[in-house]
mmCIF file with all atom_site columns, all heavy atoms in Angstrom:
data_model
loop_
_atom_site.group_PDB
_atom_site.id
_atom_site.type_symbol
_atom_site.label_atom_id
_atom_site.label_alt_id
_atom_site.label_comp_id
_atom_site.label_asym_id
_atom_site.label_entity_id
_atom_site.label_seq_id
_atom_site.pdbx_PDB_ins_code
_atom_site.Cartn_x
_atom_site.Cartn_y
_atom_site.Cartn_z
_atom_site.occupancy
_atom_site.B_iso_or_equiv
_atom_site.pdbx_formal_charge
_atom_site.auth_seq_id
_atom_site.auth_comp_id
_atom_site.auth_asym_id
_atom_site.auth_atom_id
_atom_site.pdbx_PDB_model_num
ATOM 1   N N   . GLU A 1 411 ? 52.754 -3.490  -42.119 1.00 98.00 ? 411 GLU A N   1
ATOM 2   C CA  . GLU A 1 411 ? 53.724 -3.395  -40.996 1.00 98.00 ? 411 GLU A CA  1
ATOM 3   C C   . GLU A 1 411 ? 52.985 -3.131  -39.681 1.00 98.00 ? 411 GLU A C   1
ATOM 4   O O   . GLU A 1 411 ? 52.056 -2.321  -39.639 1.00 98.00 ? 411 GLU A O   1
ATOM 5   C CB  . GLU A 1 411 ? 54.656 -2.195  -41.275 1.00 98.00 ? 411 GLU A CB  1
ATOM 6   C CG  . GLU A 1 411 ? 55.772 -2.050  -40.242 1.00 98.00 ? 411 GLU A CG  1
ATOM 7   C CD  . GLU A 1 411 ? 56.784 -1.006  -40.628 1.00 98.00 ? 411 GLU A CD  1
ATOM 8   O OE1 . GLU A 1 411 ? 56.391 0.126   -40.976 1.00 98.00 ? 411 GLU A OE1 1
ATOM 9   O OE2 . GLU A 1 411 ? 57.994 -1.321  -40.636 1.00 98.00 ? 411 GLU A OE2 1
ATOM 10  N N   . VAL A 1 412 ? 53.377 -3.858  -38.667 1.00 98.00 ? 412 VAL A N   1
ATOM 11  C CA  . VAL A 1 412 ? 52.807 -3.660  -37.313 1.00 98.00 ? 412 VAL A CA  1
ATOM 12  C C   . VAL A 1 412 ? 53.970 -3.631  -36.327 1.00 98.00 ? 412 VAL A C   1
ATOM 13  O O   . VAL A 1 412 ? 55.083 -3.951  -36.685 1.00 98.00 ? 412 VAL A O   1
ATOM 14  C CB  . VAL A 1 412 ? 51.822 -4.749  -36.897 1.00 98.00 ? 412 VAL A CB  1
ATOM 15  C CG1 . VAL A 1 412 ? 50.669 -4.833  -37.908 1.00 98.00 ? 412 VAL A CG1 1
ATOM 16  C CG2 . VAL A 1 412 ? 52.525 -6.115  -36.818 1.00 98.00 ? 412 VAL A CG2 1
ATOM 17  N N   . ARG A 1 413 ? 53.624 -3.325  -35.121 1.00 98.00 ? 413 ARG A N   1
ATOM 18  C CA  . ARG A 1 413 ? 54.685 -3.314  -34.054 1.00 98.00 ? 413 ARG A CA  1
ATOM 19  C C   . ARG A 1 413 ? 54.497 -4.568  -33.180 1.00 98.00 ? 413 ARG A C   1
ATOM 20  O O   . ARG A 1 413 ? 53.391 -4.930  -32.836 1.00 98.00 ? 413 ARG A O   1
ATOM 21  C CB  . ARG A 1 413 ? 54.549 -2.077  -33.187 1.00 98.00 ? 413 ARG A CB  1
ATOM 22  C CG  . ARG A 1 413 ? 55.395 -2.119  -31.936 1.00 98.00 ? 413 ARG A CG  1
ATOM 23  C CD  . ARG A 1 413 ? 55.522 -0.771  -31.236 1.00 98.00 ? 413 ARG A CD  1
ATOM 24  N NE  . ARG A 1 413 ? 54.225 -0.128  -31.232 1.00 98.00 ? 413 ARG A NE  1
ATOM 25  C CZ  . ARG A 1 413 ? 53.986 1.117   -31.627 1.00 98.00 ? 413 ARG A CZ  1
ATOM 26  N NH1 . ARG A 1 413 ? 54.943 1.871   -32.053 1.00 98.00 ? 413 ARG A NH1 1
ATOM 27  N NH2 . ARG A 1 413 ? 52.791 1.586   -31.615 1.00 98.00 ? 413 ARG A NH2 1
ATOM 28  N N   . LEU A 1 414 ? 55.617 -5.195  -32.814 1.00 98.00 ? 414 LEU A N   1
ATOM 29  C CA  . LEU A 1 414 ? 55.583 -6.197  -31.793 1.00 98.00 ? 414 LEU A CA  1
ATOM 30  C C   . LEU A 1 414 ? 55.909 -5.482  -30.516 1.00 98.00 ? 414 LEU A C   1
ATOM 31  O O   . LEU A 1 414 ? 56.907 -4.791  -30.413 1.00 98.00 ? 414 LEU A O   1
ATOM 32  C CB  . LEU A 1 414 ? 56.626 -7.296  -32.124 1.00 98.00 ? 414 LEU A CB  1
ATOM 33  C CG  . LEU A 1 414 ? 56.344 -8.148  -33.365 1.00 98.00 ? 414 LEU A CG  1
ATOM 34  C CD1 . LEU A 1 414 ? 57.426 -9.210  -33.537 1.00 98.00 ? 414 LEU A CD1 1
ATOM 35  C CD2 . LEU A 1 414 ? 54.964 -8.832  -33.259 1.00 98.00 ? 414 LEU A CD2 1
ATOM 36  N N   . ARG A 1 415 ? 55.056 -5.628  -29.566 1.00 98.00 ? 415 ARG A N   1
ATOM 37  C CA  . ARG A 1 415 ? 55.162 -4.835  -28.340 1.00 98.00 ? 415 ARG A CA  1
ATOM 38  C C   . ARG A 1 415 ? 56.594 -4.942  -27.702 1.00 98.00 ? 415 ARG A C   1
ATOM 39  O O   . ARG A 1 415 ? 57.087 -6.020  -27.527 1.00 98.00 ? 415 ARG A O   1
ATOM 40  C CB  . ARG A 1 415 ? 54.146 -5.415  -27.331 1.00 98.00 ? 415 ARG A CB  1
ATOM 41  C CG  . ARG A 1 415 ? 54.076 -4.597  -26.033 1.00 98.00 ? 415 ARG A CG  1
ATOM 42  C CD  . ARG A 1 415 ? 52.765 -3.918  -25.903 1.00 98.00 ? 415 ARG A CD  1
ATOM 43  N NE  . ARG A 1 415 ? 52.380 -3.620  -24.523 1.00 98.00 ? 415 ARG A NE  1
ATOM 44  C CZ  . ARG A 1 415 ? 52.222 -2.381  -24.122 1.00 98.00 ? 415 ARG A CZ  1
ATOM 45  N NH1 . ARG A 1 415 ? 52.314 -1.350  -24.959 1.00 98.00 ? 415 ARG A NH1 1
ATOM 46  N NH2 . ARG A 1 415 ? 51.902 -2.128  -22.856 1.00 98.00 ? 415 ARG A NH2 1
ATOM 47  N N   . TYR A 1 416 ? 57.126 -3.764  -27.428 1.00 98.00 ? 416 TYR A N   1
ATOM 48  C CA  . TYR A 1 416 ? 58.437 -3.628  -26.818 1.00 98.00 ? 416 TYR A CA  1
ATOM 49  C C   . TYR A 1 416 ? 59.597 -4.184  -27.683 1.00 98.00 ? 416 TYR A C   1
ATOM 50  O O   . TYR A 1 416 ? 60.702 -4.296  -27.225 1.00 98.00 ? 416 TYR A O   1
ATOM 51  C CB  . TYR A 1 416 ? 58.507 -4.297  -25.452 1.00 98.00 ? 416 TYR A CB  1
ATOM 52  C CG  . TYR A 1 416 ? 57.532 -3.729  -24.471 1.00 98.00 ? 416 TYR A CG  1
ATOM 53  C CD1 . TYR A 1 416 ? 56.574 -4.516  -23.794 1.00 98.00 ? 416 TYR A CD1 1
ATOM 54  C CD2 . TYR A 1 416 ? 57.514 -2.370  -24.156 1.00 98.00 ? 416 TYR A CD2 1
ATOM 55  C CE1 . TYR A 1 416 ? 55.661 -4.001  -22.897 1.00 98.00 ? 416 TYR A CE1 1
ATOM 56  C CE2 . TYR A 1 416 ? 56.607 -1.820  -23.259 1.00 98.00 ? 416 TYR A CE2 1
ATOM 57  C CZ  . TYR A 1 416 ? 55.709 -2.654  -22.633 1.00 98.00 ? 416 TYR A CZ  1
ATOM 58  O OH  . TYR A 1 416 ? 54.815 -2.102  -21.746 1.00 98.00 ? 416 TYR A OH  1
ATOM 59  N N   . ALA A 1 417 ? 59.286 -4.556  -28.949 1.00 98.00 ? 417 ALA A N   1
ATOM 60  C CA  . ALA A 1 417 ? 60.302 -5.192  -29.772 1.00 98.00 ? 417 ALA A CA  1
ATOM 61  C C   . ALA A 1 417 ? 60.585 -4.370  -31.055 1.00 98.00 ? 417 ALA A C   1
ATOM 62  O O   . ALA A 1 417 ? 61.288 -3.312  -30.976 1.00 98.00 ? 417 ALA A O   1
ATOM 63  C CB  . ALA A 1 417 ? 59.906 -6.599  -30.103 1.00 98.00 ? 417 ALA A CB  1
ATOM 64  N N   . TYR A 1 418 ? 60.072 -4.808  -32.169 1.00 98.00 ? 418 TYR A N   1
ATOM 65  C CA  . TYR A 1 418 ? 60.370 -4.175  -33.455 1.00 98.00 ? 418 TYR A CA  1
ATOM 66  C C   . TYR A 1 418 ? 59.137 -4.033  -34.310 1.00 98.00 ? 418 TYR A C   1
ATOM 67  O O   . TYR A 1 418 ? 58.105 -4.678  -34.038 1.00 98.00 ? 418 TYR A O   1
ATOM 68  C CB  . TYR A 1 418 ? 61.367 -5.032  -34.219 1.00 98.00 ? 418 TYR A CB  1
ATOM 69  C CG  . TYR A 1 418 ? 62.740 -5.178  -33.647 1.00 98.00 ? 418 TYR A CG  1
ATOM 70  C CD1 . TYR A 1 418 ? 63.052 -6.304  -32.870 1.00 98.00 ? 418 TYR A CD1 1
ATOM 71  C CD2 . TYR A 1 418 ? 63.700 -4.224  -33.850 1.00 98.00 ? 418 TYR A CD2 1
ATOM 72  C CE1 . TYR A 1 418 ? 64.354 -6.435  -32.338 1.00 98.00 ? 418 TYR A CE1 1
ATOM 73  C CE2 . TYR A 1 418 ? 64.971 -4.356  -33.345 1.00 98.00 ? 418 TYR A CE2 1
ATOM 74  C CZ  . TYR A 1 418 ? 65.319 -5.445  -32.573 1.00 98.00 ? 418 TYR A CZ  1
ATOM 75  O OH  . TYR A 1 418 ? 66.546 -5.578  -32.069 1.00 98.00 ? 418 TYR A OH  1
ATOM 76  N N   . PHE A 1 419 ? 59.273 -3.210  -35.345 1.00 98.00 ? 419 PHE A N   1
ATOM 77  C CA  . PHE A 1 419 ? 58.250 -3.195  -36.383 1.00 98.00 ? 419 PHE A CA  1
ATOM 78  C C   . PHE A 1 419 ? 58.543 -4.379  -37.275 1.00 98.00 ? 419 PHE A C   1
ATOM 79  O O   . PHE A 1 419 ? 59.697 -4.630  -37.615 1.00 98.00 ? 419 PHE A O   1
ATOM 80  C CB  . PHE A 1 419 ? 58.402 -1.944  -37.227 1.00 98.00 ? 419 PHE A CB  1
ATOM 81  C CG  . PHE A 1 419 ? 57.857 -0.664  -36.621 1.00 98.00 ? 419 PHE A CG  1
ATOM 82  C CD1 . PHE A 1 419 ? 57.488 -0.634  -35.273 1.00 98.00 ? 419 PHE A CD1 1
ATOM 83  C CD2 . PHE A 1 419 ? 57.682 0.501   -37.342 1.00 98.00 ? 419 PHE A CD2 1
ATOM 84  C CE1 . PHE A 1 419 ? 56.986 0.511   -34.686 1.00 98.00 ? 419 PHE A CE1 1
ATOM 85  C CE2 . PHE A 1 419 ? 57.211 1.666   -36.777 1.00 98.00 ? 419 PHE A CE2 1
ATOM 86  C CZ  . PHE A 1 419 ? 56.845 1.697   -35.426 1.00 98.00 ? 419 PHE A CZ  1
ATOM 87  N N   . ILE A 1 420 ? 57.525 -5.090  -37.682 1.00 98.00 ? 420 ILE A N   1
ATOM 88  C CA  . ILE A 1 420 ? 57.712 -6.182  -38.659 1.00 98.00 ? 420 ILE A CA  1
ATOM 89  C C   . ILE A 1 420 ? 56.711 -6.021  -39.796 1.00 98.00 ? 420 ILE A C   1
ATOM 90  O O   . ILE A 1 420 ? 55.644 -5.439  -39.594 1.00 98.00 ? 420 ILE A O   1
ATOM 91  C CB  . ILE A 1 420 ? 57.533 -7.585  -38.048 1.00 98.00 ? 420 ILE A CB  1
ATOM 92  C CG1 . ILE A 1 420 ? 56.114 -7.767  -37.459 1.00 98.00 ? 420 ILE A CG1 1
ATOM 93  C CG2 . ILE A 1 420 ? 58.616 -7.858  -36.972 1.00 98.00 ? 420 ILE A CG2 1
ATOM 94  C CD1 . ILE A 1 420 ? 55.753 -9.208  -37.123 1.00 98.00 ? 420 ILE A CD1 1
ATOM 95  N N   . THR A 1 421 ? 57.113 -6.516  -40.934 1.00 98.00 ? 421 THR A N   1
ATOM 96  C CA  . THR A 1 421 ? 56.248 -6.445  -42.097 1.00 98.00 ? 421 THR A CA  1
ATOM 97  C C   . THR A 1 421 ? 56.048 -7.865  -42.619 1.00 98.00 ? 421 THR A C   1
ATOM 98  O O   . THR A 1 421 ? 57.032 -8.585  -42.773 1.00 98.00 ? 421 THR A O   1
ATOM 99  C CB  . THR A 1 421 ? 56.831 -5.554  -43.212 1.00 98.00 ? 421 THR A CB  1
ATOM 100 O OG1 . THR A 1 421 ? 57.088 -4.250  -42.686 1.00 98.00 ? 421 THR A OG1 1
ATOM 101 C CG2 . THR A 1 421 ? 55.914 -5.470  -44.405 1.00 98.00 ? 421 THR A CG2 1
ATOM 102 N N   . CYS A 1 422 ? 54.800 -8.209  -42.885 1.00 98.00 ? 422 CYS A N   1
ATOM 103 C CA  . CYS A 1 422 ? 54.516 -9.577  -43.330 1.00 98.00 ? 422 CYS A CA  1
ATOM 104 C C   . CYS A 1 422 ? 54.887 -9.692  -44.840 1.00 98.00 ? 422 CYS A C   1
ATOM 105 O O   . CYS A 1 422 ? 54.377 -8.857  -45.634 1.00 98.00 ? 422 CYS A O   1
ATOM 106 C CB  . CYS A 1 422 ? 53.082 -9.917  -43.074 1.00 98.00 ? 422 CYS A CB  1
ATOM 107 S SG  . CYS A 1 422 ? 52.714 -11.577 -43.666 1.00 98.00 ? 422 CYS A SG  1
ATOM 108 N N   . THR A 1 423 ? 55.667 -10.713 -45.188 1.00 98.00 ? 423 THR A N   1
ATOM 109 C CA  . THR A 1 423 ? 56.015 -10.853 -46.582 1.00 98.00 ? 423 THR A CA  1
ATOM 110 C C   . THR A 1 423 ? 55.302 -12.017 -47.255 1.00 98.00 ? 423 THR A C   1
ATOM 111 O O   . THR A 1 423 ? 55.005 -11.975 -48.424 1.00 98.00 ? 423 THR A O   1
ATOM 112 C CB  . THR A 1 423 ? 57.552 -11.091 -46.719 1.00 98.00 ? 423 THR A CB  1
ATOM 113 O OG1 . THR A 1 423 ? 57.954 -12.157 -45.812 1.00 98.00 ? 423 THR A OG1 1
ATOM 114 C CG2 . THR A 1 423 ? 58.340 -9.812  -46.346 1.00 98.00 ? 423 THR A CG2 1
ATOM 115 N N   . SER A 1 424 ? 55.014 -13.090 -46.415 1.00 98.00 ? 424 SER A N   1
ATOM 116 C CA  . SER A 1 424 ? 54.251 -14.165 -47.039 1.00 98.00 ? 424 SER A CA  1
ATOM 117 C C   . SER A 1 424 ? 53.597 -15.093 -45.958 1.00 98.00 ? 424 SER A C   1
ATOM 118 O O   . SER A 1 424 ? 54.047 -15.041 -44.807 1.00 98.00 ? 424 SER A O   1
ATOM 119 C CB  . SER A 1 424 ? 55.145 -15.039 -47.908 1.00 98.00 ? 424 SER A CB  1
ATOM 120 O OG  . SER A 1 424 ? 56.110 -15.700 -47.087 1.00 98.00 ? 424 SER A OG  1
ATOM 121 N N   . ALA A 1 425 ? 52.635 -15.814 -46.376 1.00 98.00 ? 425 ALA A N   1
ATOM 122 C CA  . ALA A 1 425 ? 51.940 -16.759 -45.510 1.00 98.00 ? 425 ALA A CA  1
ATOM 123 C C   . ALA A 1 425 ? 52.094 -18.161 -46.086 1.00 98.00 ? 425 ALA A C   1
ATOM 124 O O   . ALA A 1 425 ? 51.819 -18.361 -47.259 1.00 98.00 ? 425 ALA A O   1
ATOM 125 C CB  . ALA A 1 425 ? 50.445 -16.383 -45.377 1.00 98.00 ? 425 ALA A CB  1
ATOM 126 N N   . VAL A 1 426 ? 52.539 -19.106 -45.262 1.00 98.00 ? 426 VAL A N   1
ATOM 127 C CA  . VAL A 1 426 ? 52.643 -20.501 -45.694 1.00 98.00 ? 426 VAL A CA  1
ATOM 128 C C   . VAL A 1 426 ? 51.376 -21.208 -45.361 1.00 98.00 ? 426 VAL A C   1
ATOM 129 O O   . VAL A 1 426 ? 50.826 -21.039 -44.254 1.00 98.00 ? 426 VAL A O   1
ATOM 130 C CB  . VAL A 1 426 ? 53.842 -21.169 -44.959 1.00 98.00 ? 426 VAL A CB  1
ATOM 131 C CG1 . VAL A 1 426 ? 53.966 -22.637 -45.428 1.00 98.00 ? 426 VAL A CG1 1
ATOM 132 C CG2 . VAL A 1 426 ? 55.132 -20.405 -45.234 1.00 98.00 ? 426 VAL A CG2 1
ATOM 133 N N   . LYS A 1 427 ? 50.869 -22.026 -46.307 1.00 97.00 ? 427 LYS A N   1
ATOM 134 C CA  . LYS A 1 427 ? 49.626 -22.696 -46.051 1.00 97.00 ? 427 LYS A CA  1
ATOM 135 C C   . LYS A 1 427 ? 49.802 -24.234 -46.227 1.00 97.00 ? 427 LYS A C   1
ATOM 136 O O   . LYS A 1 427 ? 50.679 -24.690 -46.974 1.00 97.00 ? 427 LYS A O   1
ATOM 137 C CB  . LYS A 1 427 ? 48.582 -22.268 -47.048 1.00 97.00 ? 427 LYS A CB  1
ATOM 138 C CG  . LYS A 1 427 ? 48.122 -20.824 -46.874 1.00 97.00 ? 427 LYS A CG  1
ATOM 139 C CD  . LYS A 1 427 ? 46.961 -20.557 -47.773 1.00 97.00 ? 427 LYS A CD  1
ATOM 140 C CE  . LYS A 1 427 ? 46.842 -19.056 -48.080 1.00 97.00 ? 427 LYS A CE  1
ATOM 141 N NZ  . LYS A 1 427 ? 45.828 -18.840 -49.090 1.00 97.00 ? 427 LYS A NZ  1
ATOM 142 N N   . ASP A 1 428 ? 48.921 -24.938 -45.526 1.00 96.00 ? 428 ASP A N   1
ATOM 143 C CA  . ASP A 1 428 ? 48.936 -26.387 -45.703 1.00 96.00 ? 428 ASP A CA  1
ATOM 144 C C   . ASP A 1 428 ? 48.029 -26.769 -46.859 1.00 96.00 ? 428 ASP A C   1
ATOM 145 O O   . ASP A 1 428 ? 47.475 -25.890 -47.554 1.00 96.00 ? 428 ASP A O   1
ATOM 146 C CB  . ASP A 1 428 ? 48.539 -27.118 -44.417 1.00 96.00 ? 428 ASP A CB  1
ATOM 147 C CG  . ASP A 1 428 ? 47.087 -26.794 -44.007 1.00 96.00 ? 428 ASP A CG  1
ATOM 148 O OD1 . ASP A 1 428 ? 46.311 -26.288 -44.878 1.00 96.00 ? 428 ASP A OD1 1
ATOM 149 O OD2 . ASP A 1 428 ? 46.718 -27.066 -42.842 1.00 96.00 ? 428 ASP A OD2 1
ATOM 150 N N   . ALA A 1 429 ? 47.884 -28.073 -47.106 1.00 96.00 ? 429 ALA A N   1
ATOM 151 C CA  . ALA A 1 429 ? 47.106 -28.591 -48.245 1.00 96.00 ? 429 ALA A CA  1
ATOM 152 C C   . ALA A 1 429 ? 45.664 -28.099 -48.205 1.00 96.00 ? 429 ALA A C   1
ATOM 153 O O   . ALA A 1 429 ? 45.006 -27.954 -49.252 1.00 96.00 ? 429 ALA A O   1
ATOM 154 C CB  . ALA A 1 429 ? 47.152 -30.088 -48.281 1.00 96.00 ? 429 ALA A CB  1
ATOM 155 N N   . ASP A 1 430 ? 45.160 -27.861 -46.957 1.00 96.00 ? 430 ASP A N   1
ATOM 156 C CA  . ASP A 1 430 ? 43.773 -27.412 -46.861 1.00 96.00 ? 430 ASP A CA  1
ATOM 157 C C   . ASP A 1 430 ? 43.583 -25.896 -46.934 1.00 96.00 ? 430 ASP A C   1
ATOM 158 O O   . ASP A 1 430 ? 42.473 -25.392 -46.821 1.00 96.00 ? 430 ASP A O   1
ATOM 159 C CB  . ASP A 1 430 ? 43.195 -27.888 -45.520 1.00 96.00 ? 430 ASP A CB  1
ATOM 160 C CG  . ASP A 1 430 ? 43.204 -29.412 -45.384 1.00 96.00 ? 430 ASP A CG  1
ATOM 161 O OD1 . ASP A 1 430 ? 43.038 -30.093 -46.417 1.00 96.00 ? 430 ASP A OD1 1
ATOM 162 O OD2 . ASP A 1 430 ? 43.500 -29.877 -44.280 1.00 96.00 ? 430 ASP A OD2 1
ATOM 163 N N   . GLY A 1 431 ? 44.709 -25.225 -47.131 1.00 93.00 ? 431 GLY A N   1
ATOM 164 C CA  . GLY A 1 431 ? 44.586 -23.792 -47.243 1.00 93.00 ? 431 GLY A CA  1
ATOM 165 C C   . GLY A 1 431 ? 44.690 -23.039 -45.943 1.00 93.00 ? 431 GLY A C   1
ATOM 166 O O   . GLY A 1 431 ? 44.522 -21.830 -45.879 1.00 93.00 ? 431 GLY A O   1
ATOM 167 N N   . ASN A 1 432 ? 44.986 -23.781 -44.828 1.00 95.00 ? 432 ASN A N   1
ATOM 168 C CA  . ASN A 1 432 ? 45.141 -23.077 -43.537 1.00 95.00 ? 432 ASN A CA  1
ATOM 169 C C   . ASN A 1 432 ? 46.524 -22.518 -43.447 1.00 95.00 ? 432 ASN A C   1
ATOM 170 O O   . ASN A 1 432 ? 47.514 -23.119 -43.848 1.00 95.00 ? 432 ASN A O   1
ATOM 171 C CB  . ASN A 1 432 ? 44.968 -24.106 -42.421 1.00 95.00 ? 432 ASN A CB  1
ATOM 172 C CG  . ASN A 1 432 ? 43.588 -24.726 -42.441 1.00 95.00 ? 432 ASN A CG  1
ATOM 173 O OD1 . ASN A 1 432 ? 42.569 -24.085 -42.569 1.00 95.00 ? 432 ASN A OD1 1
ATOM 174 N ND2 . ASN A 1 432 ? 43.538 -26.062 -42.397 1.00 95.00 ? 432 ASN A ND2 1
ATOM 175 N N   . VAL A 1 433 ? 46.546 -21.297 -42.917 1.00 97.00 ? 433 VAL A N   1
ATOM 176 C CA  . VAL A 1 433 ? 47.868 -20.634 -42.737 1.00 97.00 ? 433 VAL A CA  1
ATOM 177 C C   . VAL A 1 433 ? 48.589 -21.321 -41.624 1.00 97.00 ? 433 VAL A C   1
ATOM 178 O O   . VAL A 1 433 ? 48.055 -21.475 -40.526 1.00 97.00 ? 433 VAL A O   1
ATOM 179 C CB  . VAL A 1 433 ? 47.661 -19.167 -42.425 1.00 97.00 ? 433 VAL A CB  1
ATOM 180 C CG1 . VAL A 1 433 ? 49.016 -18.468 -42.181 1.00 97.00 ? 433 VAL A CG1 1
ATOM 181 C CG2 . VAL A 1 433 ? 46.936 -18.439 -43.582 1.00 97.00 ? 433 VAL A CG2 1
ATOM 182 N N   . THR A 1 434 ? 49.819 -21.771 -41.855 1.00 97.00 ? 434 THR A N   1
ATOM 183 C CA  . THR A 1 434 ? 50.565 -22.460 -40.834 1.00 97.00 ? 434 THR A CA  1
ATOM 184 C C   . THR A 1 434 ? 51.796 -21.708 -40.307 1.00 97.00 ? 434 THR A C   1
ATOM 185 O O   . THR A 1 434 ? 52.350 -21.979 -39.249 1.00 97.00 ? 434 THR A O   1
ATOM 186 C CB  . THR A 1 434 ? 51.075 -23.806 -41.378 1.00 97.00 ? 434 THR A CB  1
ATOM 187 O OG1 . THR A 1 434 ? 51.853 -23.564 -42.545 1.00 97.00 ? 434 THR A OG1 1
ATOM 188 C CG2 . THR A 1 434 ? 49.942 -24.709 -41.695 1.00 97.00 ? 434 THR A CG2 1
ATOM 189 N N   . GLU A 1 435 ? 52.223 -20.715 -41.105 1.00 98.00 ? 435 GLU A N   1
ATOM 190 C CA  . GLU A 1 435 ? 53.457 -20.000 -40.699 1.00 98.00 ? 435 GLU A CA  1
ATOM 191 C C   . GLU A 1 435 ? 53.453 -18.670 -41.468 1.00 98.00 ? 435 GLU A C   1
ATOM 192 O O   . GLU A 1 435 ? 53.033 -18.616 -42.623 1.00 98.00 ? 435 GLU A O   1
ATOM 193 C CB  . GLU A 1 435 ? 54.659 -20.805 -41.081 1.00 98.00 ? 435 GLU A CB  1
ATOM 194 C CG  . GLU A 1 435 ? 55.967 -20.338 -40.541 1.00 98.00 ? 435 GLU A CG  1
ATOM 195 C CD  . GLU A 1 435 ? 57.093 -21.332 -40.863 1.00 98.00 ? 435 GLU A CD  1
ATOM 196 O OE1 . GLU A 1 435 ? 57.117 -22.396 -40.212 1.00 98.00 ? 435 GLU A OE1 1
ATOM 197 O OE2 . GLU A 1 435 ? 57.910 -21.008 -41.798 1.00 98.00 ? 435 GLU A OE2 1
ATOM 198 N N   . LEU A 1 436 ? 54.004 -17.653 -40.809 1.00 98.00 ? 436 LEU A N   1
ATOM 199 C CA  . LEU A 1 436 ? 54.137 -16.340 -41.481 1.00 98.00 ? 436 LEU A CA  1
ATOM 200 C C   . LEU A 1 436 ? 55.569 -15.967 -41.621 1.00 98.00 ? 436 LEU A C   1
ATOM 201 O O   . LEU A 1 436 ? 56.369 -16.274 -40.746 1.00 98.00 ? 436 LEU A O   1
ATOM 202 C CB  . LEU A 1 436 ? 53.416 -15.268 -40.672 1.00 98.00 ? 436 LEU A CB  1
ATOM 203 C CG  . LEU A 1 436 ? 51.897 -15.492 -40.439 1.00 98.00 ? 436 LEU A CG  1
ATOM 204 C CD1 . LEU A 1 436 ? 51.404 -14.480 -39.447 1.00 98.00 ? 436 LEU A CD1 1
ATOM 205 C CD2 . LEU A 1 436 ? 51.172 -15.386 -41.740 1.00 98.00 ? 436 LEU A CD2 1
#
Side-chain angles (χ1 to χ4, degrees):
Chain A
E411 184 173 52
V412 300
R413 171 168 41 230
L414 292 180
R415 185 114 157 118
Y416 299 124
Y418 293 98
F419 282 12
I420 60 166
T421 303
C422 180
T423 51
S424 67
V426 179
K427 292 188 204 173
D428 64 15
D430 300 324
N432 301 310
V433 177
T434 56
E435 189 176 288
L436 300 171

